[in-house]
Amino acid sequence: MTAARVALPKVNTWSGLSQIQTFLSSLVPHWEGVDDVILDFTPCTFLSAEGAALLAAFKLNRDLLWGTTDIDWATVSADVARQLGRWEVSPLFGRAKHPWADTAIPLLHQTNIDHQRLVGYICSQVCAAGNMPAMSEALTTEVQRALIELFQNIFLHASSPTGGIAVGQLYPQVKEVQICVCDAGVGMIRKIREAGLAQASSPATLEWALGVGNTTRRPENGPPGGLGLYLLREFVKINGGSLRVVANDGYLCQQAGEVVRQTLPVDFPGTLIQIKLNIRDDVVYKFASE
Amino acid sequence: MTEIRVASLFGPVCVSSEDGVALNVAIRQSLDRGEPVALDFTGVKTLASVFLNAAVGSLYASYDHGLLEDRVRWSGLSAANDSVMRLVRRNAVTFYAAPKPERDALASAAGGEAAAGN
């Protein structure tokens, strides 16, 4: 059988939705496939952490199926190859990682939740970069809570055969940290739809999932839920950062008080959540409870 | 009065539902003896809603709201964690107070063990 050659476009996080949408459109037709795939990076002159997270999830998911998934390294620019090595994504494709991470937050992959390792990941990979401004204890604690809540969601609800993935990027110049969490599960919208709680549209369903106390859990089976994503959203809001969620064909982006919601032309079988945070110590993280 | 030092039992990172269930059992034992409970969170750095939902939120399925307000107290939380605790309690009251028809409709729609949003 001839391998399908899949050209990957560049993905720049800050370019809005179009590039990640095109990136997904390239990968999704082969997500569950048993065909052999060779990834062609010729058009991919830049790859964001979101792209890296999707790429890792794609590879790990396909590794559970029959088809092989390779990168044509001859098509990968030196910069992108180095960045894949820094993220420690290249070892998934048989290439050694880069000797040092620099400003990359390397791949974390868990097939079972390991809370201590998640906390350690924040301490060693997110907070400890030599060229980053120090994160306050309060911010560190909130980042830990955010990552743990996201991974809890994956293992409680996503039915992801590959477990959960995190990868990120530090931006010392602008004092920002970006963390992407991805799974190859059923997708948040599909899960809510299966529970009979879908809203009028996919973006509206995402909005519902981020609301306080909104959960498909039943009182008969408790315990209560529906706070993890709400806390994440509030944390990002208080911090002044941004939140992007792609799940199935839904997209939601919250940034600077503005929320963009959109239905995608592609149905991504999983969930990708990106948070971008400001390294600042002038805010108190206190969540409204009334 | 039963005092439970949470960090002594579970360490500074309290994030798993399993640990939350263990704390829930300890709280129930005291309440069932008729004793108030004081939860001392001194030394706890990171709290996840999953832990608090299992430890405290699920109490609201079995005990009266007013009784819990009166008999379960806590101390030693940072401002952020304190606000999460208050949110968990408020959410639990709402969760278990859903009208029966609404709960039945939800149960019927949800089928098996569907869940999203921890």
Side-chain angles (χ1 to χ4, degrees):
Chain A
M1 187 167 60
T2 308
R5 199 167 176 85
V6 177
L8 293 180
K10 71 174 180 181
V11 188
N12 185 333
T13 297
W14 320 117
S15 66
L17 177 61
S18 63
Q19 289 181 352
I20 202 76
Q21 189 174 296
T22 312
F23 196 81
L24 277 170
S25 297
S26 301
L27 292 179
V28 165
H30 306 279
W31 200 272
E32 303 286 354
V34 294
D35 54 336
D36 296 332
V37 165
I38 294 174
L39 300 170
D40 183 338
F41 275 69
T42 305
C44 185
T45 52
F46 188 89
L47 191 66
S48 69
E50 276 183 313
L54 287 171
L55 189 63
F58 178 73
K59 167 67 174 167
L60 290 166
N61 191 64
R62 283 181 52 86
D63 282 352
L64 299 175
L65 306 170
W66 291 102
T68 61
T69 314
D70 296 311
I71 289 176
D72 179 355
W73 287 99
T75 64
V76 185
S77 73
D79 284 348
V80 172
R82 191 181 309 115
Q83 195 58 27
L84 286 170
R86 285 173 172 158
W87 277 317
E88 300 183 13
V89 170
S90 53
L92 298 177
F93 295 91
R95 275 272 179 117
K97 67 178 186 179
H98 197 72
W100 59 90
D102 195 31
T103 53
I105 301 174
L107 178 72
L108 173 79
H109 175 217
Q110 294 196 342
T111 50
N112 291 296
I113 195 158
D114 180 341
H115 300 106
Q116 296 304 325
R117 200 170 149 227
L118 282 172
V119 171
Y121 179 70
I122 299 298
C123 295
S124 62
Q125 304 293 354
V126 180
C127 302
N131 51 359
M132 278 293 281
M135 281 168 61
S136 67
E137 188 178 326
L139 179 58
T140 302
T141 300
E142 289 314 311
V143 174
Q144 287 173 347
R145 193 201 319 271
L147 196 66
I148 286 167
E149 298 279 8
L150 285 174
F151 268 73
Q152 295 273 18
N153 256 352
I154 290 172
F155 288 101
L156 285 172
H157 309 306
S159 308
S160 173
T162 59
I165 288 161
V167 70
Q169 186 67 40
L170 304 168
Y171 297 91
Q173 300 289 332
V174 288
K175 300 182 182 180
E176 288 176 354
V177 58
Q178 174 196 18
I179 302 173
C180 304
V181 173
C182 188
D183 70 70
V186 296
M188 204 185 293
I189 291 171
R190 187 166 295 122
K191 189 78 182 178
I192 294 167
R193 196 178 292 144
E194 285 171 0
L197 294 166
Q199 307 299 298
S201 65
S202 292
T205 303
L206 281 185
E207 185 70 55
W208 180 88
L210 293 163
V212 61
N214 288 342
T215 177
T216 56
R217 231 181 246 157
R218 293 171 288 157
E220 287 75 13
N221 295 341
L227 296 179
L229 291 173
Y230 169 76
L231 287 170
L232 175 74
R233 185 179 200 170
E234 291 302 299
F235 164 46
V236 169
K237 206 183 285 180
I238 294 168
N239 175 272
S242 69
L243 167 72
R244 273 159 63 109
V245 184
V246 179
N248 305 117
D249 63 344
Y251 169 82
L252 183 148
C253 178
Q254 171 189 295
Q255 186 167 18
E258 190 181 325
V259 180
V260 175
R261 304 171 194 86
Q262 205 167 316
T263 301
L264 305 179
V266 59
D267 193 345
F268 164 50
T271 300
L272 170 67
I273 296 181
Q274 182 216 217
I275 53 173
K276 192 183 73 171
L277 302 165
N278 298 303
I279 309 298
R280 53 189 291 194
D281 55 10
D282 60 336
V283 289
V284 176
Y285 298 101
K286 194 172 175 184
F287 307 102
S289 57
E290 300 300 332
Chain B
M1 167 79 78
T2 303
E3 183 175 285
I4 300 175
R5 294 185 182 178
V6 179
S8 300
L9 294 174
F10 307 109
V13 179
C14 297
V15 296
S16 78
S17 57
E18 292 80 7
D19 286 348
V21 168
L23 179 56
N24 180 274
V25 169
I27 297 170
R28 283 174 188 273
Q29 286 170 349
S30 298
L31 290 176
D32 292 345
R33 288 196 303 267
E35 292 178 17
V37 181
L39 301 171
D40 181 359
F41 284 92
T42 304
V44 172
K45 299 282 184 194
T46 307
L47 267 179
S49 66
V50 172
F51 174 88
L52 287 177
N53 279 327
V56 177
S58 59
L59 293 171
Y60 288 78
S62 323
Y63 299 94
D64 176 68
H65 173 208
L67 179 140
L68 292 172
E69 297 289 309
D70 188 48
R71 297 203 177 173
V72 179
R73 302 295 173 92
W74 72 90
S75 62
L77 287 176
S78 67
N81 284 336
D82 186 77
S83 64
V84 174
M85 171 69 98
R86 291 178 189 281
L87 193 58
V88 162
R89 285 165 49 118
R90 191 196 69 167
N91 187 51
V93 171
T94 309
F95 183 75
Y96 290 115
K100 184 75 167 61
E102 191 180 315
R103 288 165 55 171
D104 288 345
L106 188 62
S108 164
E113 54 170 321
N118 62 26

